[in-house]
């Protein structure tokens, strides 16, 4: 399952085209990745008692930060609920969404993501 999720993330990033190029430059200039995650789903993204985020979605954010910035710790986690997630992505509040979300044609065509 982990390979499938990572493969899907890579495929979506490849399909983003020029929008991704602008986001990539923004992340590099800022020096940190703003990553949207769930507000707390054990196994996917949840902060521990010290505020450290853990889970599969968090690991994907760290992997992208490591690849883009050379440092897996250069991530700001932004917890989002299902209603907020796409608005935050489309508006640029977050650079990347790594949370339990299905991939649909409607989201590709109507939201442009």
């Amino acid at each position: 399952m982990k390979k499938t999720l990572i493969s899907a993330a890579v495929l979506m990033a490849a399909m983003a085209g020029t929008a991704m190029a602008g986001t990539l430059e923004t992340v590099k200039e800022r020096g940190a990745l703003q990553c949207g995650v769930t507000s707390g789903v054990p196994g996917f993204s949840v902060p521990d008692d010290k505020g450290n985020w853990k889970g599969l979605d968090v690991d994907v954010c760290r992997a992208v930060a490591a690849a883009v910035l050379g440092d897996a710790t250069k991530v700001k986690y932004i917890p989002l609920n299902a209603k907020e997630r796409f608005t935050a992505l489309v508006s640029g509040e977050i650079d990347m969404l790594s949370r339990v979300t299905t991939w649909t044609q409607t989201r590709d065509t109507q939201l442009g993501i």
Side-chain angles (χ1 to χ4, degrees):
M1 181 169 165
K2 189 173 183 178
K3 283 184 180 180
T4 302
L5 290 174
I6 292 170
S7 297
V10 170
L11 180 61
M12 287 188 298
M15 293 174 64
T18 57
M20 188 177 100
T23 301
L24 181 62
E25 291 307 314
T26 300
V27 171
K28 286 180 177 180
E29 288 173 14
R30 185 185 315 114
L33 175 70
Q34 295 181 161
C35 196
V37 295
T38 63
S39 54
V41 176
F44 290 95
S45 63
V46 65
D48 64 15
D49 57 349
K50 295 179 183 175
N52 299 311
W53 286 86
K54 299 180 187 274
L56 178 63
D57 294 340
V58 172
D59 290 343
V60 171
C61 296
R62 284 191 185 116
V64 171
V68 171
L69 301 168
D71 187 343
T73 66
K74 302 253 180 185
V75 182
K76 178 181 179 186
Y77 301 100
I78 301 173
L80 300 166
N81 64 35
K83 187 176 181 179
E84 301 167 325
R85 63 190 167 174
F86 297 122
T87 303
L89 185 60
V90 171
S91 72
E93 178 185 342
I94 59 173
D95 305 311
M96 175 181 155
L97 180 64
S98 180
R99 88 181 281 295
V100 288
T101 301
T102 57
W103 188 0
T104 68
Q105 183 178 6
T106 300
R107 290 178 180 145
D108 280 348
T109 58
Q110 291 179 0
L111 296 179
I113 54 177

